[in-house]
């Protein structure tokens, strides 16, 4: 901004002061701090690259392939970024890492910074880290799901891209009064995915290493190369399984496959007032636009709801009447076909001009628009009604994830409460990636359940 705003120009923040007396100094300070942070991160990355290369060269002189025995496929660069430091710093023969042997033999030839860096690597926690808080562009507070260890990690790029409750599998090193990620699995995990990865890892640790199934693990237990290798292997397998899993089948409240349908009808403009009057008088039509406004918008409803017995009605379509065009938006082919027959029978002036259909992508909000699009008021109302109904009914609905119990029943026990917390964490994670008008308010569920 300083390159485009004159120092004596009014500050764009609206304070009324000159730019040089207001935001210019703050922005200059921020740029300077940003430059310092970048130099610090570059220095640590340089130490990592240099020491990994030194250990790999030392292993090669002994006839050891440094990547032989790597628990994950490391051909791709984004995986190698985790695999290389893991093999250099954490892996080894039996319970002892190669790092200890390297320091004993070559430590005296290293610089002071290299020695400090490698000693820090010996205290690394390889874990499943949940993002608790973010300072975008600077840091994030994370907690390991196995040990309960927390760190504020200096991380610039990931802190801009992630959201709270995302999970990372990776190595966290304490270095020079701050924590850094020194190798992470390239894919972040949602809370639900992380729960599954955590549980299967605990089961395997109990079977293979006799670790307890329940208590929080100690950091030294997860530093064992066998435990860390197992976690990386399972993270790789979980990624493949989650990425190849078929998308869920989306349905509307009538149990019909969720397909966004937009039907278009043409008509002679001289028939517009007749059509407008007919829509105003149609059973279940609720006008949403002001009189005289173009297009005239309506929500078409019908009494009750097949899925939610406490609903007074169900919004089945949004209608927009233009000067010589009628657009009808529904969320299933069945509703679209039924409504088309109804409209053509009531309004012979209409000429069907075609239909567009869209099946939401996996992870999209049911009924959500394409990226960058904002639906009309009628469509938003239909979506909000579905969300509000779901919000009211959810605490008392039997849920397979809770063994057929409702959330309200499950929170009465400690184990059930933990399961409900997991569900809500996953819902909150997904909701953060939605536009504001699509969010149903997971915090309201917490209040309703006394959490």
């Amino acid at each position: 901004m300083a390159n485009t705003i004159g120092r004596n120009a009014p500050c764009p923040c609206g304070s009324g002061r000159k730019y040089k007396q207001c935001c210019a100094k703050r922005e200059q300070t921020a740029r300077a701090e940003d430059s310092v942070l970048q130099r610090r991160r570059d220095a640590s990355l340089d130490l990592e690259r240099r020491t990994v290369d030194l250990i790999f060269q030392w292993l090669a002189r002994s006839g050891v392939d440094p990547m032989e025995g790597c628990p994950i496929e490391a051909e791709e660069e984004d995986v190698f970024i985790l695999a290389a430091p893991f093999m250099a710093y954490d892996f080894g023969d039996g319970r002892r890492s190669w790092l200890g042997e390297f320091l004993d033999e070559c430590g005296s030839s290293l610089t002071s910074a290299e020695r400090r860096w490698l000693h820090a690597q010996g205290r690394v926690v390889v874990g499943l880290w949940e993002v608790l808080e973010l300072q975008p562009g600077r840091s994030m507070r994370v907690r390991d799901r196995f040990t309960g260890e927390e760190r504020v990690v200096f991380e610039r790029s990931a802190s801009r891209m992630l959201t709270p409750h995302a999970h990372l599998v990776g190595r966290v090193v304490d270095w020079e009064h701050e924590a850094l990620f020194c190798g992470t699995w390239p894919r972040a995990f949602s809370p639900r995915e992380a729960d599954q990865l955590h549980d299967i890892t605990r089961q395997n640790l109990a079977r293979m290493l006799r670790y307890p199934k329940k208590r929080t693990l100690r950091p030294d237990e997860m530093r064992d190369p066998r435990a860390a290798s197992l976690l990386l292997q399972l993270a790789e397998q979980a990624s493949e399984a989650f990425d190849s899993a078929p998308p869920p089948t989306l349905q509307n409240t009538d149990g019909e496959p969720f397909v966004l349908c937009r039907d278009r009808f043409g008509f002679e403009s001289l028939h517009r007032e007749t059509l407008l009057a007919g829509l105003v008088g149609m059973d279940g039509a609720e006008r949403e636009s002001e009189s005289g406004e173009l297009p005239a918008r309506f929500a078409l409803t019908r009494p009750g709801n097949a899925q939610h017995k406490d609903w007074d009605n169900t919004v089945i379509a949004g209608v927009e009447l233009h000067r010589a065009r009628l657009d009808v938006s529904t969320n299933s082919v069945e509703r679209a076909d039924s409504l088309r027959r109804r409209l053509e029978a009531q309004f012979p002036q209409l000429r069907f001009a075609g239909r567009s259909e869209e099946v939401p992508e996996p992870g999209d909000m049911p009924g959500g628009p394409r990226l960058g699009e904002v639906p009309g008021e009628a469509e938003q109302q239909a979506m909000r009604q579905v969300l509000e109904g779901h919000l009211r009914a959810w605490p008392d609905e039997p849920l397979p994830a809770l063994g057929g119990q409702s959330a309200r029943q499950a929170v009465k026990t400690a184990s059930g409460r933990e399961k409900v917390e997991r569900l809500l964490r996953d819902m909150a994670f997904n909701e953060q990636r939605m536009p504001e008008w699509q969010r149903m308010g997971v915090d309201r569920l917490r209040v309703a359940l006394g959490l």
Side-chain angles (χ1 to χ4, degrees):
M1 187 175 288
N3 293 329
T4 59
I5 301 174
R7 287 174 51 79
N8 292 313
C11 189
C13 75
S15 65
R17 302 168 64 191
K18 292 182 179 180
Y19 176 61
K20 67 180 181 181
Q21 297 170 336
C22 191
C23 289
K25 292 182 179 179
R26 183 167 63 250
E27 291 169 1
Q28 184 177 7
T29 300
R31 287 194 296 272
E33 291 178 349
D34 194 62
S35 178
V36 170
L37 292 175
Q38 186 60 52
R39 287 198 299 272
R40 278 166 46 195
R41 185 55 177 149
D42 289 345
S44 62
L45 289 172
D46 182 60
L47 273 172
E48 178 189 328
R49 286 190 291 266
R50 208 161 64 234
T51 54
V52 166
D53 285 345
L54 287 171
I55 294 174
F56 279 10
Q57 292 167 15
W58 170 74
L59 287 168
R61 288 196 298 270
S62 303
V64 177
D65 180 352
M67 295 303 291
E68 185 177 356
C70 183
I72 52 179
E73 292 291 335
E75 293 182 1
E76 299 294 332
E77 182 178 356
D78 56 357
V79 178
F80 188 81
I81 290 171
L82 169 60
F86 174 77
M87 294 302 291
Y89 305 141
D90 305 319
F91 198 73
D93 299 322
R95 293 180 62 89
R96 192 180 190 209
S97 69
W98 287 326
L99 175 59
E101 298 178 22
F102 174 77
L103 283 170
D104 289 344
E105 184 175 325
C106 305
S108 61
S109 64
L110 303 175
T111 67
S112 173
E114 290 168 346
R115 282 194 300 273
R116 295 199 315 274
W117 175 262
L118 291 178
H119 282 296
Q121 296 298 329
R123 300 184 296 274
V124 155
V125 178
V126 182
L128 175 61
W129 299 91
E130 178 182 4
V131 177
L132 303 178
E133 295 178 2
L134 290 159
Q135 288 190 341
R138 185 181 181 93
S139 66
M140 49 190 177
R141 185 166 67 90
V142 296
R143 178 175 58 223
D144 178 33
R145 293 285 299 275
F146 297 103
T147 66
E149 295 270 295
E150 287 195 15
R151 297 288 190 277
V152 176
V153 178
F154 171 52
E155 174 55 58
R156 306 193 69 202
S157 58
S159 63
R160 290 190 179 100
M161 297 183 292
L162 296 175
T163 58
H165 304 303
H167 288 67
L168 296 171
V169 171
R171 310 175 67 261
V172 171
V173 58
D174 296 314
W175 172 246
E176 301 290 316
H177 309 294
E178 64 188 12
L180 303 169
F181 272 119
C182 184
T184 59
W185 182 254
R187 180 193 192 280
F189 296 92
S190 72
R192 181 174 298 180
E193 294 170 343
D195 288 342
Q196 295 180 44
L197 175 57
H198 172 268
D199 292 349
I200 193 66
T201 303
R202 289 301 300 253
Q203 293 170 19
N204 279 272
L205 288 173
R207 179 177 57 84
M208 296 171 58
L209 302 180
R210 299 292 187 265
Y211 284 4
K213 290 183 179 181
K214 295 293 184 181
R215 74 159 168 81
T216 300
L217 297 178
R218 300 189 307 270
D220 64 281
E221 289 174 319
M222 286 306 296
R223 287 191 192 107
D224 186 317
R226 296 170 298 176
S229 293
L230 175 64
L231 173 58
L232 296 188
Q233 284 179 320
L234 293 175
E236 181 178 50
Q237 293 171 17
S239 294
E240 294 173 355
F242 295 142
D243 291 342
S244 62
T249 301
L250 301 177
Q251 296 179 329
N252 63 17
T253 56
D254 290 333
E256 300 158 349
F258 211 105
V259 181
L260 300 175
C261 299
R262 181 182 288 269
D263 285 354
R264 292 200 165 188
F265 300 85
F267 57 87
E268 298 293 334
S269 58
L270 59 89
H271 296 306
R272 184 179 183 279
E273 292 303 316
T274 302
L275 292 170
L276 179 60
L279 288 169
V280 169
M282 180 182 288
D283 287 342
E286 299 177 2
R287 185 161 184 174
E288 297 185 323
S289 58
E290 298 293 331
S291 179
E293 180 182 335
L294 282 177
R297 296 186 178 90
F298 296 83
L300 298 186
T301 68
R302 65 162 184 246
N305 185 272
Q307 189 176 103
H308 303 288
K309 303 305 181 184
D310 60 329
W311 287 18
D312 294 330
N313 58 39
T314 302
V315 176
I316 59 172
V319 176
E320 292 186 353
L321 180 65
H322 298 261
R323 292 191 184 279
R325 190 182 83 238
L326 183 74
D327 294 342
V328 180
S329 301
T330 57
N331 60 16
S332 75
V333 173
E334 291 82 357
R335 286 183 179 180
D337 288 344
S338 175
L339 193 54
R340 177 186 172 186
R341 290 191 294 269
R342 178 182 174 188
L343 290 171
E344 289 179 332
Q346 183 168 346
F347 303 111
Q349 304 94 331
L350 294 176
R351 302 185 308 276
F352 183 66
R355 172 181 297 172
S356 63
E357 296 182 2
E358 179 186 356
V359 178
E361 293 293 326
D364 281 357
M365 187 65 189
R370 292 178 184 270
L371 183 64
E373 292 184 1
V374 178
E377 293 180 13
E379 291 172 284
Q380 285 196 32
Q381 180 180 338
M383 297 172 204
R384 289 302 307 176
Q385 187 183 45
V386 171
L387 292 173
E388 288 294 333
H390 181 61
L391 188 70
R392 291 195 302 269
W394 191 85
D396 298 298
E397 289 181 344
L399 301 173
L402 301 177
Q405 284 187 311
S406 70
R408 202 181 303 279
Q409 292 170 323
V411 296
K412 295 177 181 178
T413 66
S415 60
R417 194 181 186 91
E418 180 183 354
K419 291 178 182 177
V420 173
E421 287 280 10
R422 287 184 172 194
L423 288 176
L424 294 178
R425 190 166 61 234
D426 195 65
M427 292 164 67
F429 171 80
N430 291 325
E431 189 171 79
Q432 288 173 88
R433 299 181 295 173
M434 300 172 186
E436 186 67 33
W437 56 269
Q438 272 187 334
R439 300 179 185 180
M440 70 177 186
V442 174
D443 287 343
R444 290 165 59 188
L445 292 175
R446 290 185 161 277
V447 173
L449 295 169
L451 298 176

